[in-house]
Amino acid sequence: MEREQWAELMRALNDVARGRTDNAYHRHPSVLIVRVYLWAALHDRPVSWACRRSAWDDRTRPKRLPSQPTMRTGTVRRLFDRLSARMAGRATTRLVKQVDGKPIPVSRHSQDGQAAWGRGAGAYARGYKLHLIDAGGPMPQAFTVTPMNHSESATARQLVEQLTGTGYLLGDAGYDDSKLYAAARRANHKLIAPRRRPRTGLGKGKPSDPDRLDAIDRLERAPQLGNRFGPTLMQLRRRVETTLGNFTSHGTGLTHLPPWVRGLQRVSLYVHAKLLINAARIRGLRE
């Protein structure tokens, strides 16, 4: 499976690098820098390992390898963005999308100053969190990585700005936020999320967003009258749980955060690499 994933990644990388020129002062081409970084992430090894000839076989080894100090993270990040668009394929037209977050914990004794305490998988944990909007494609339609203590609903307000098309956006009770409802509406999507305390009052203060009131009606009042559209729609949200489960359940997936990947920038880059590797796996399964 790793060989097929690598072949898919290299086809995509060669496509996005075609016609690209590097600055004259760069010792190594950008495509080589990204190739070495992906090789390290594919094998869950440090970048310094991938810079050694012994880390490669005769079929995959580049003619020349960069040293670790010449690995340009800015180059990797820019080409990763282009790779994401290439791996995503044609624009997804799925009407129903899901928003969710995946905790990425580190040890509670870690010296990583950017890792934060927040709500993890059923308990408080220290680390980071992957926030994404899943539209059924090989790559998320939008994603970002933050410290664990960042609000899911506030981060989702930034992600919905990247949505295309129209449709429904499904979230759990953590996304029941009037500001997020308004942001989704501006992006031509209708957010539907259950309340933490269903069938209670709306409380005092500023009136709720009209789309939030509509979601409450669909999920709480309409089913009592025999209209099951809201609950049936929410059952589709399980897709994102399957997506995140598949992302972590294979050998080249995000099974853990290696001890040499610390700090928000490094964690973000590593997670991005794992998303690209997972997209290559999905594309291979669908061919």
Side-chain angles (χ1 to χ4, degrees):
M1 176 60 77
E2 287 184 6
R3 179 169 295 183
E4 288 78 7
Q5 288 174 292
W6 183 249
E8 181 68 31
L9 281 170
M10 290 304 98
R11 282 194 293 269
L13 180 59
N14 290 333
D15 283 347
V16 300
R18 188 174 292 116
R20 177 187 174 90
T21 57
D22 290 296
N23 293 325
Y25 61 83
H26 285 158
R27 293 182 57 188
H28 303 286
S30 298
V31 64
L32 176 61
I33 299 295
V34 174
R35 185 178 177 183
V36 170
Y37 189 93
L38 286 172
W39 186 256
L42 181 69
H43 293 87
D44 290 315
R45 301 296 296 271
V47 171
S48 58
W49 170 85
C51 291
R52 299 199 297 262
R53 289 182 59 82
S54 60
W56 303 72
D57 55 50
D58 293 338
R59 186 182 58 87
T60 58
R61 184 189 301 116
K63 293 181 179 179
R64 183 182 179 190
L65 285 170
S67 62
Q68 186 177 11
T70 61
M71 292 290 292
R72 308 185 298 272
T73 57
T75 293
V76 175
R77 192 172 296 108
R78 287 189 294 272
L79 267 182
F80 270 16
D81 288 339
R82 298 177 66 180
L83 261 178
S84 293
R86 167 62 172 76
M87 297 299 288
R90 291 181 298 177
T92 301
T93 58
R94 178 176 285 182
L95 184 65
V96 179
K97 305 175 180 69
Q98 302 86 31
V99 57
D100 204 358
K102 171 183 169 45
I104 310 173
V106 301
S107 169
R108 61 186 303 159
H109 304 296
S110 171
Q111 298 300 309
D112 184 354
Q114 293 182 299
W117 286 93
R119 182 173 297 178
Y124 277 89
R126 185 164 179 253
Y128 300 89
K129 183 172 286 189
L130 167 64
H131 307 261
L132 59 81
I133 295 178
D134 178 35
M139 287 290 293
Q141 191 162 103
F143 70 92
T144 190
V145 177
T146 69
M148 190 88 78
N149 62 349
H150 279 220
S151 164
E152 288 186 331
S153 61
T155 305
R157 292 202 298 268
Q158 301 173 12
L159 293 182
V160 297
E161 297 176 359
Q162 303 177 43
L163 288 178
T164 58
T166 62
Y168 292 96
L169 179 63
L170 310 180
D172 61 22
Y175 298 95
D176 177 35
D177 175 67
S178 290
K179 292 181 179 180
L180 180 55
Y181 275 97
R185 183 171 57 252
R186 290 193 295 271
N188 300 315
H189 282 72
K190 181 179 283 292
L191 173 67
I192 298 183
R195 293 193 290 172
R196 290 187 177 88
R197 297 180 180 179
R199 291 176 289 278
T200 60
L202 296 176
K204 299 180 181 180
K206 188 176 180 179
S208 292
D209 183 90
D211 280 356
R212 181 172 185 263
L213 296 176
D214 180 67
I216 293 172
D217 183 71
R218 290 178 184 273
L219 296 177
E220 299 177 23
R221 302 189 183 98
Q224 297 178 354
L225 301 176
N227 186 338
R228 301 289 303 172
F229 176 76
T232 301
L233 192 62
M234 287 304 297
Q235 290 179 3
L236 298 177
R237 193 186 172 277
R238 297 175 183 173
R239 289 174 176 170
V240 71
E241 297 173 359
T242 301
T243 296
L244 289 173
N246 290 335
F247 179 38
T248 60
S249 63
H250 57 95
T252 57
L254 186 63
T255 55
H256 66 288
L257 197 62
W260 56 84
V261 180
R262 293 294 184 266
L264 182 58
Q265 289 190 2
R266 288 187 177 182
V267 173
S268 298
L269 206 61
Y270 180 79
V271 172
H272 198 161
K274 285 296 186 180
L275 286 170
L276 289 168
I277 292 168
N278 187 60
R281 180 186 67 87
I282 293 173
R283 289 171 63 94
L285 292 174
R286 292 181 179 180
E287 289 180 354

